[in-house]
Short mmCIF file of all heavy atoms in Angstrom, two decimals:
data_model
loop_
_atom_site.label_atom_id
_atom_site.label_comp_id
_atom_site.label_asym_id
_atom_site.label_seq_id
_atom_site.Cartn_x
_atom_site.Cartn_y
_atom_site.Cartn_z
N LYS A 1179 16.40 -3.22 8.57
CA LYS A 1179 16.52 -4.63 9.01
C LYS A 1179 15.70 -4.90 10.25
O LYS A 1179 15.07 -5.91 10.44
CB LYS A 1179 17.97 -4.98 9.24
CG LYS A 1179 18.77 -5.02 7.96
CD LYS A 1179 20.24 -5.39 8.27
CE LYS A 1179 21.03 -5.43 6.92
NZ LYS A 1179 22.45 -5.79 7.14
N ARG A 1180 15.62 -3.91 11.20
CA ARG A 1180 14.85 -4.11 12.36
C ARG A 1180 13.34 -4.11 12.01
O ARG A 1180 12.55 -4.86 12.57
CB ARG A 1180 15.08 -2.97 13.37
CG ARG A 1180 16.47 -3.03 13.99
CD ARG A 1180 16.71 -1.85 14.99
NE ARG A 1180 18.08 -1.84 15.46
CZ ARG A 1180 18.61 -0.96 16.28
NH1 ARG A 1180 17.79 -0.02 16.76
NH2 ARG A 1180 19.84 -0.94 16.66
N SER A 1181 12.99 -3.23 11.06
CA SER A 1181 11.61 -3.20 10.59
C SER A 1181 11.21 -4.53 9.90
O SER A 1181 10.11 -4.98 10.05
CB SER A 1181 11.47 -2.02 9.65
OG SER A 1181 10.13 -1.88 9.20
N LEU A 1182 12.18 -5.09 9.16
CA LEU A 1182 11.94 -6.39 8.50
C LEU A 1182 11.61 -7.48 9.58
O LEU A 1182 10.71 -8.23 9.43
CB LEU A 1182 13.10 -6.79 7.68
CG LEU A 1182 13.14 -8.21 7.10
CD1 LEU A 1182 11.92 -8.43 6.15
CD2 LEU A 1182 14.43 -8.45 6.35
N PHE A 1183 12.47 -7.55 10.63
CA PHE A 1183 12.25 -8.52 11.67
C PHE A 1183 10.85 -8.37 12.29
O PHE A 1183 10.12 -9.37 12.52
CB PHE A 1183 13.33 -8.37 12.75
CG PHE A 1183 13.13 -9.23 13.96
CD1 PHE A 1183 13.33 -10.60 13.91
CD2 PHE A 1183 12.64 -8.67 15.12
CE1 PHE A 1183 13.12 -11.35 15.05
CE2 PHE A 1183 12.46 -9.40 16.23
CZ PHE A 1183 12.65 -10.74 16.25
N ALA A 1184 10.47 -7.14 12.59
CA ALA A 1184 9.20 -6.86 13.20
C ALA A 1184 8.07 -7.28 12.24
O ALA A 1184 7.07 -7.89 12.68
CB ALA A 1184 9.08 -5.40 13.59
N GLY A 1185 8.21 -6.98 10.97
CA GLY A 1185 7.17 -7.36 9.99
C GLY A 1185 7.00 -8.84 9.89
O GLY A 1185 5.88 -9.35 9.77
N LEU A 1186 8.13 -9.59 9.86
CA LEU A 1186 8.04 -11.07 9.76
C LEU A 1186 7.35 -11.61 10.98
O LEU A 1186 6.52 -12.54 10.84
CB LEU A 1186 9.45 -11.62 9.64
CG LEU A 1186 10.19 -11.41 8.28
CD1 LEU A 1186 11.64 -11.82 8.37
CD2 LEU A 1186 9.50 -12.17 7.15
N LEU A 1187 7.72 -11.15 12.10
CA LEU A 1187 7.10 -11.66 13.36
C LEU A 1187 5.58 -11.38 13.40
O LEU A 1187 4.76 -12.29 13.71
CB LEU A 1187 7.75 -10.94 14.58
CG LEU A 1187 7.70 -11.68 15.93
CD1 LEU A 1187 8.33 -13.06 15.79
CD2 LEU A 1187 8.36 -10.84 16.98
N GLY A 1188 5.19 -10.16 12.95
CA GLY A 1188 3.75 -9.84 12.97
C GLY A 1188 3.00 -10.61 11.95
O GLY A 1188 1.84 -11.05 12.14
N ALA A 1189 3.65 -10.85 10.77
CA ALA A 1189 2.94 -11.64 9.70
C ALA A 1189 2.70 -13.04 10.13
O ALA A 1189 1.64 -13.62 9.90
CB ALA A 1189 3.78 -11.57 8.41
N ALA A 1190 3.69 -13.68 10.79
CA ALA A 1190 3.56 -15.04 11.26
C ALA A 1190 2.43 -15.15 12.31
O ALA A 1190 1.62 -16.03 12.33
CB ALA A 1190 4.87 -15.52 11.91
N ALA A 1191 2.37 -14.10 13.18
CA ALA A 1191 1.31 -14.07 14.21
C ALA A 1191 -0.09 -13.94 13.60
O ALA A 1191 -1.04 -14.61 13.97
CB ALA A 1191 1.55 -12.97 15.18
N THR A 1192 -0.17 -13.10 12.58
CA THR A 1192 -1.46 -12.86 11.88
C THR A 1192 -1.96 -14.15 11.21
O THR A 1192 -3.13 -14.56 11.37
CB THR A 1192 -1.37 -11.76 10.83
OG1 THR A 1192 -0.96 -10.54 11.43
CG2 THR A 1192 -2.68 -11.54 10.11
N LEU A 1193 -1.06 -14.84 10.57
CA LEU A 1193 -1.44 -16.03 9.80
C LEU A 1193 -1.87 -17.12 10.76
O LEU A 1193 -2.88 -17.83 10.56
CB LEU A 1193 -0.28 -16.54 8.92
CG LEU A 1193 -0.61 -17.59 7.87
CD1 LEU A 1193 -1.69 -17.13 6.94
CD2 LEU A 1193 0.63 -17.99 7.13
N LEU A 1194 -1.10 -17.30 11.86
CA LEU A 1194 -1.36 -18.37 12.79
C LEU A 1194 -2.74 -18.08 13.53
O LEU A 1194 -3.55 -18.99 13.66
CB LEU A 1194 -0.24 -18.39 13.86
CG LEU A 1194 -0.40 -19.44 14.99
CD1 LEU A 1194 -0.45 -20.89 14.41
CD2 LEU A 1194 0.74 -19.30 15.99
N CYS A 1195 -2.95 -16.83 13.91
CA CYS A 1195 -4.17 -16.45 14.61
C CYS A 1195 -5.40 -16.59 13.60
O CYS A 1195 -6.46 -17.01 14.05
CB CYS A 1195 -4.08 -15.08 15.16
SG CYS A 1195 -2.91 -14.92 16.49
N THR A 1196 -5.19 -16.25 12.33
CA THR A 1196 -6.25 -16.39 11.35
C THR A 1196 -6.68 -17.82 11.24
O THR A 1196 -7.85 -18.15 11.21
CB THR A 1196 -5.82 -15.80 10.02
OG1 THR A 1196 -5.49 -14.47 10.12
CG2 THR A 1196 -6.91 -15.99 8.97
#
Side-chain angles (χ1 to χ4, degrees):
K1179 291 182 180 178
R1180 292 181 188 177
S1181 185
L1182 171 62
F1183 171 76
L1186 288 171
L1187 203 58
T1192 301
L1193 192 59
L1194 179 62
C1195 293
T1196 300

